[in-house]
Amino acid sequence: MRADAVRNRRLLLDAAAAELAEHGTEVSIARIAARAGIGKGTVFRHFATKEQLLLAIFSDQLDGISARGETLLQRPDPAEALLEFMAAAVELQLADRSLCQAVTAAMRREPVVRAAGDRLVAVADALTARARRAGDVRDDVGGPDIVLLINAVTQATIPLGDTAPGLWRRYLSMVFDGLRPEAARPLPVPAPPSLAPASLPPASLAPGGEPGPER
């Protein structure tokens, strides 16, 4: 890919991520292109449909959380590292309307997003394993549990985000206390082997999505 094409792609992805965070998945390609300072035709040269652009954005976002987690694996305190990872993931979802809208079975079944999700679970599992070995979290907790608990805190507090923007910290602290081994009891069912959803009929990834260049 030529240097100017690489630059335009980066401008496009950054602009799209910002617009999606502010306005959700219904934002138009025209608005994204204007923010990036490029034409709509350039957008569709990189991504044939709006759905493909969304997939690229969301997989990038998941990989960004994974990268943060990999950095936290170097922290000397395993419990602190795991809690910071969970907090960073909740904060991102609360700040980004599009990411919350996109955490659906339809989106997660897409191979590029599913692969990014698998990488995220692997990082969460590595952080959790360190905390387990240190005796900071219970022995029956793993990466899939952590990712699902992150989503639980996000979904529980997002309706009150405007009136109580820091409320998520309260519930994340409660959740994290529940991970500690002191009062652990046997869990009634095991963790899911995967966070991949069951097969679904075809569905649009983006409400009001645009299948191709606007005319």
Side-chain angles (χ1 to χ4, degrees), residues 7-88:
R7 181 183 65 83
N8 284 340
R9 181 184 174 90
R10 187 69 262 164
L11 285 172
L12 169 58
L13 290 174
D14 291 345
E19 286 291 331
L20 289 164
E22 293 173 14
H23 304 292
T25 53
E26 293 185 4
V27 68
S28 70
I29 290 295
R31 185 171 185 134
I32 291 170
R35 185 162 186 156
I38 60 178
K40 289 189 294 182
T42 301
V43 175
F44 290 111
R45 280 196 293 274
H46 287 281
F47 300 98
T49 67
K50 183 177 177 180
E51 290 185 353
Q52 289 183 7
L53 175 59
L54 293 179
L55 290 171
I57 293 294
F58 299 138
S59 60
D60 275 356
Q61 289 171 321
L62 293 177
D63 282 339
I65 302 173
S66 296
R68 179 73 177 275
E70 288 171 355
T71 300
L72 289 169
L73 284 168
Q74 308 307 315
R75 286 283 183 89
D77 186 327
E80 180 183 287
L82 179 59
L83 179 57
E84 186 169 333
F85 170 75
M86 296 176 73

Side-chain angles (χ1 to χ4, degrees), residues 189-213:
V189 294
S194 168
L195 297 188
S199 296
L200 296 173
S204 175
L205 300 180
E210 300 160 56

